[in-house]
Structures are given as C-alpha cells and as structure tokens.
Amino acid sequence: MQYQAMQTPKKSLWSFGTRAVVYAAIGAALYGVLSALTNVLAIPGAGNVSVRPAVAIVFLFGLAFGPLVGFITGLLGNLIADLFFGQFWFWWSLGNGLMGLVAGLFMPMMTDYRRLRDLAFGEVAVILGAAVGMLLASLSEIWVSGADMTTVFVANFWPAFLSNIINGLILTPILMIAYSAIVSRSGR
C-alpha cells in the first residue's frame, strides 16, 4: 500500500460555525475530564500546579480546528477540571485557553499531520502556546494573590510551563498522527 499525503483544504483561521462549536465542546469535555483525573499529580513546591498530560488535547484541537476552538477547548476544559475540585481560577483557565489559541494560529500552515514539517510546527506551537498561556496565568498571581515576581516564576510559571511542554512535546505529535489516520480513514 502506497503512502498518500493527507491534503487538507485551505482553512479559514477565524471561522466559527456549527462544526467548530461541536469540536470545541468535545475538546473541552475531553480536556476537562482527563485533566481532572490527573489533578492529583501535584508538582511538589509548585503553587497549585499539577501534571496534566491531557494538555496535548488543547494543542491538537487548536492545530486541527483553529484558534477559536483551541481557545474554548483550553478555557472551558480547565474550568471543568477545576470545578471537579470545587475551585475556579479564571486566569489559569484563560491561560489554558491562550495555549490553544496560539496553537491554532499554526492551523493554516498544516497540510499533513504526519509530515515532519507539520510535526515541527506542532512542536513550536506547543512551546509558544505554553509560554504565552502560562506566563499570563502566572503573572496574574501578582495581582490576585499578591505574589512577588520570584514566586511567580519559581512556584507558578516554570512548573506549569515545563510540565505542559514536556507533555505537549511528547503527546501532541502522537495525537496529530492519530488524528491524521482517523481523517484519512474517514475520507474527509
């Protein structure tokens, strides 16, 4: 069987229709529930930061369906995970949304999620998305909880950023390849 590159049609970066709403809802539900399952994996010494392998879902949904779907997946997914534990941290939900939004900015460059070029774009999206999203969330601790800059970076930013990029760099390409296989088999 000969390998055929999956060619995706040109995508509008900011379009948001019925399908996008469905994708965002699926992404948010997946991210929220799977993140809630790993919220107990707190990083020692970090300010309420846990290991969340499910963050790769936020990156994938941004890369595959655009910045708005990525944003909603991260924002609402984080909110769902927080509510499982009776808490709500708006700025951290917003930061998770920004991770998906930044990843979604790479969507028009994607042509075949199995190609090395697209996987590399996905990796760059993970790093930039995690940096932007977790920087905003971490800096919010200055005005929300009165933390100083050292605490913000040592207890919030670095643990969240590193956890997200490690999980994202490993799992996002796997999800991209799996997504590509699903799309190829469905004939879309």
Side-chain angles (χ1 to χ4, degrees):
M1 180 180 248
Q2 187 177 357
Y3 172 79
Q4 291 181 342
M6 178 190 83
Q7 293 297 321
T8 57
K10 287 290 180 195
K11 306 167 194 171
S12 173
L13 190 61
W14 299 104
S15 66
F16 195 75
T18 305
R19 282 187 180 205
V21 171
V22 171
Y23 295 144
I26 291 168
L30 282 171
Y31 181 51
V33 171
L34 294 174
S35 290
L37 294 174
T38 60
N39 258 357
V40 296
L41 302 174
I43 298 174
N48 201 24
V49 176
S50 62
V51 176
R52 287 187 173 184
V55 74
I57 293 167
V58 175
F59 296 123
L60 174 70
F61 274 70
L63 290 166
F65 307 115
L68 296 175
V69 171
F71 179 77
I72 293 168
T73 296
L75 179 89
L76 293 181
N78 193 74
L79 175 64
I80 291 167
D82 281 353
L83 292 178
F84 270 103
F85 293 94
Q87 57 189 6
F88 174 64
W89 304 98
F90 172 75
W91 294 101
W92 286 90
S93 292
L94 184 60
N96 278 264
L98 286 175
M99 288 192 305
L101 185 140
V102 169
L105 296 175
F106 286 78
M107 182 193 71
M109 296 178 239
M110 300 290 176
T111 57
D112 182 348
Y113 296 92
R114 296 172 289 197
R115 285 184 42 203
L116 185 58
R117 175 186 164 275
D118 287 5
L119 292 170
F121 278 136
E123 299 287 57
V124 171
V126 165
I127 294 167
L128 291 177
V132 170
M134 294 303 92
L135 185 61
L136 172 83
S138 298
L139 289 174
S140 74
E141 293 297 325
I142 293 172
W143 61 86
V144 171
S145 63
D148 61 40
M149 195 61 78
T150 302
T151 302
V152 163
F153 278 96
V154 172
N156 298 116
F157 176 74
W158 286 113
F161 173 69
L162 292 174
S163 174
N164 286 341
I165 65 166
I166 290 168
N167 286 306
L169 290 174
I170 294 168
L171 298 174
T172 302
I174 294 168
L175 291 179
M176 289 171 67
I177 292 167
Y179 172 72
S180 183
I182 291 167
V183 169
S184 293
R185 287 195 177 145
S186 70
R188 293 182 186 211

